[in-house]
Short mmCIF file of all heavy atoms in Angstrom, two decimals:
data_model
loop_
_atom_site.label_atom_id
_atom_site.label_comp_id
_atom_site.label_asym_id
_atom_site.label_seq_id
_atom_site.Cartn_x
_atom_site.Cartn_y
_atom_site.Cartn_z
N ASN C 31 -21.97 8.49 19.62
CA ASN C 31 -20.65 8.27 20.33
C ASN C 31 -19.81 7.38 19.28
O ASN C 31 -20.35 6.41 18.83
CB ASN C 31 -20.96 7.55 21.60
CG ASN C 31 -21.83 8.35 22.56
OD1 ASN C 31 -21.33 9.46 22.83
ND2 ASN C 31 -22.76 7.84 23.09
N VAL C 32 -18.77 7.83 18.92
CA VAL C 32 -17.77 7.11 18.09
C VAL C 32 -16.64 6.44 18.80
O VAL C 32 -15.94 6.92 19.56
CB VAL C 32 -17.09 8.17 17.07
CG1 VAL C 32 -16.18 7.35 16.06
CG2 VAL C 32 -18.24 8.85 16.29
N LEU C 33 -16.69 5.03 18.68
CA LEU C 33 -15.83 4.22 19.35
C LEU C 33 -14.69 3.79 18.35
O LEU C 33 -15.00 3.38 17.27
CB LEU C 33 -16.44 3.03 20.06
CG LEU C 33 -17.68 3.45 20.93
CD1 LEU C 33 -18.41 2.18 21.23
CD2 LEU C 33 -17.31 4.22 22.04
N LEU C 34 -13.45 3.61 18.84
CA LEU C 34 -12.32 3.32 17.88
C LEU C 34 -11.70 1.96 18.39
O LEU C 34 -11.28 1.93 19.60
CB LEU C 34 -11.25 4.39 17.85
CG LEU C 34 -11.69 5.83 17.47
CD1 LEU C 34 -10.54 6.82 17.51
CD2 LEU C 34 -12.27 5.65 15.96
N PRO C 35 -11.63 0.98 17.56
CA PRO C 35 -11.03 -0.17 17.93
C PRO C 35 -9.53 0.09 18.28
O PRO C 35 -8.92 0.88 17.72
CB PRO C 35 -11.16 -1.13 16.70
CG PRO C 35 -12.31 -0.51 15.90
CD PRO C 35 -12.27 0.97 16.23
N TYR C 42 -14.14 -3.71 10.59
CA TYR C 42 -14.74 -2.35 10.64
C TYR C 42 -13.68 -1.39 11.29
O TYR C 42 -12.79 -1.75 11.91
CB TYR C 42 -16.04 -2.28 11.47
CG TYR C 42 -15.98 -3.08 12.80
CD1 TYR C 42 -15.43 -2.37 13.90
CD2 TYR C 42 -16.27 -4.38 12.95
CE1 TYR C 42 -15.33 -3.01 15.20
CE2 TYR C 42 -16.23 -4.97 14.21
CZ TYR C 42 -15.83 -4.33 15.33
OH TYR C 42 -15.69 -4.88 16.48
N ASP C 43 -13.89 -0.03 10.94
CA ASP C 43 -12.92 0.94 11.34
C ASP C 43 -13.41 1.67 12.65
O ASP C 43 -12.62 2.13 13.39
CB ASP C 43 -12.60 1.89 10.20
CG ASP C 43 -11.96 1.32 8.99
OD1 ASP C 43 -10.98 0.56 9.34
OD2 ASP C 43 -12.38 1.57 7.90
N ILE C 44 -14.76 1.84 12.71
CA ILE C 44 -15.30 2.57 13.86
C ILE C 44 -16.61 1.84 14.33
O ILE C 44 -17.23 1.17 13.56
CB ILE C 44 -15.58 4.09 13.62
CG1 ILE C 44 -16.57 4.26 12.50
CG2 ILE C 44 -14.28 4.75 13.37
CD1 ILE C 44 -16.81 5.73 12.20
N VAL C 45 -17.01 2.01 15.55
CA VAL C 45 -18.33 1.67 16.08
C VAL C 45 -19.05 2.84 16.49
O VAL C 45 -18.45 3.77 17.20
CB VAL C 45 -18.07 0.60 17.18
CG1 VAL C 45 -19.45 0.19 17.80
CG2 VAL C 45 -17.31 -0.58 16.79
N LEU C 46 -20.28 2.88 16.14
CA LEU C 46 -21.21 3.97 16.56
C LEU C 46 -22.04 3.41 17.68
O LEU C 46 -22.50 2.37 17.60
CB LEU C 46 -22.06 4.42 15.40
CG LEU C 46 -21.26 4.85 14.12
CD1 LEU C 46 -22.24 5.13 13.05
CD2 LEU C 46 -20.38 6.03 14.37
N GLU C 47 -22.43 4.33 18.59
CA GLU C 47 -23.35 3.97 19.59
C GLU C 47 -24.33 5.23 19.81
O GLU C 47 -23.86 6.29 19.84
CB GLU C 47 -22.65 3.70 20.94
CG GLU C 47 -23.68 3.34 22.04
CD GLU C 47 -24.26 4.40 22.75
OE1 GLU C 47 -23.69 5.47 22.93
OE2 GLU C 47 -25.45 4.28 23.26
N PHE C 52 -25.73 -0.10 18.88
CA PHE C 52 -24.38 -0.19 18.21
C PHE C 52 -24.39 -0.44 16.82
O PHE C 52 -25.10 -1.38 16.35
CB PHE C 52 -23.49 -1.07 18.95
CG PHE C 52 -23.05 -0.76 20.38
CD1 PHE C 52 -24.11 -1.08 21.45
CD2 PHE C 52 -22.01 -0.02 20.74
CE1 PHE C 52 -23.79 -0.75 22.74
CE2 PHE C 52 -21.82 0.34 22.07
CZ PHE C 52 -22.71 -0.06 23.06
N LEU C 53 -23.55 0.27 15.95
CA LEU C 53 -23.40 -0.03 14.52
C LEU C 53 -21.92 -0.10 14.20
O LEU C 53 -21.19 0.77 14.70
CB LEU C 53 -24.07 1.03 13.70
CG LEU C 53 -25.62 1.18 13.82
CD1 LEU C 53 -26.04 2.50 13.16
CD2 LEU C 53 -26.32 -0.02 13.25
N THR C 54 -21.53 -1.02 13.41
CA THR C 54 -20.20 -1.04 12.85
C THR C 54 -20.08 -0.37 11.55
O THR C 54 -20.94 -0.47 10.71
CB THR C 54 -19.65 -2.61 12.69
OG1 THR C 54 -20.51 -3.25 11.83
CG2 THR C 54 -19.56 -3.15 14.11
N VAL C 55 -18.95 0.27 11.29
CA VAL C 55 -18.78 1.09 10.10
C VAL C 55 -17.34 0.81 9.42
O VAL C 55 -16.35 0.88 10.16
CB VAL C 55 -18.84 2.66 10.36
CG1 VAL C 55 -18.75 3.48 9.15
CG2 VAL C 55 -20.16 2.91 11.11
#
Side-chain angles (χ1 to χ4, degrees):
N31 294 311
V32 179
L33 311 172
L34 303 175
Y42 49 84
D43 293 317
I44 60 178
V45 176
L46 306 176
E47 185 275 332
F52 292 85
L53 299 170
T54 57
V55 181

